[in-house]
Amino acid sequence: MTDPTAPIATVLNDEGRLGLQYTRRLAHPPEKVWRALTESEHLVHWMPCDIVGERRAGATLELPFWPSVVEQYPDDTPLLRGEILDWDPPRRFHWTWDGDVLLWELHPTDGGTVLTFTTWLGSEDPKVVTGAGAGYHVCLDLLAALLDGSPVEQGIASADTTEWERRYGAAVEAAASPRR
């Protein structure tokens, strides 16, 4: 499913605040990608949690983790909260997830959609950013598989992120290091 030689996200550093930016070219129209990003029946295949709440700017969200994820990570909080900052279907979905800020942007192309996902993480701990980088990378691979008609049965709960953690760890370390 995951190509270990595929490029990783760009690690962003804005005066010590770390983020990640991914760009994926998907051979599907923006409307189909949008549904996969926002509807529970699709989220269960690639995202670790559901997104529950009214779909409009300013709406409060509940983000309950799927049972398979809670089973794998029993010490994590099974429900987080968020808020929709911007809701512009099928182009832009900007929201918070606990202390993180997530921005999903869809740009139509002749061959489908370019998805740009940017997240600014609520933690500056390089280990947290490394884990998030690897996790989101696998999530986006699972999203692509779902859109292509090959969803993975257990979704993110069955993913091995070891190699991605190694690669993201090196990239996060380089981005977090002070420039000389």
Side-chain angles (χ1 to χ4, degrees), residues 47-95:
M47 187 78 163
C49 67
D50 197 359
I51 300 172
V52 179
E54 187 178 352
R55 300 303 204 256
R56 65 169 176 77
T60 300
L61 298 173
E62 288 190 348
L63 307 161
F65 285 87
W66 302 110
S68 60
V69 175
V70 172
E71 186 177 299
Q72 185 171 351
Y73 303 101
D75 294 335
D76 287 350
T77 304
L79 174 71
L80 297 175
R81 304 219 181 268
E83 177 185 355
I84 296 179
L85 303 174
D86 188 16
W87 177 259
D88 184 16
R91 290 183 291 275
R92 185 176 167 94
F93 182 22
H94 192 192
W95 54 290

Side-chain angles (χ1 to χ4, degrees), residues 21 91-93 103-107 114-118:
Q21 186 170 68
R91 290 183 291 275
R92 185 176 167 94
F93 182 22
L103 173 59
W104 303 87
E105 297 175 293
L106 282 65
H107 304 280
V114 173
L115 168 64
T116 303
F117 169 54
T118 306

Side-chain angles (χ1 to χ4, degrees), residues 5 27 34-35 53 58 71 75 85 123 133 146 151 155:
T5 63
W34 183 262
R35 287 189 302 275
E71 186 177 299
D75 294 335
L85 303 174
S123 174
L146 170 69

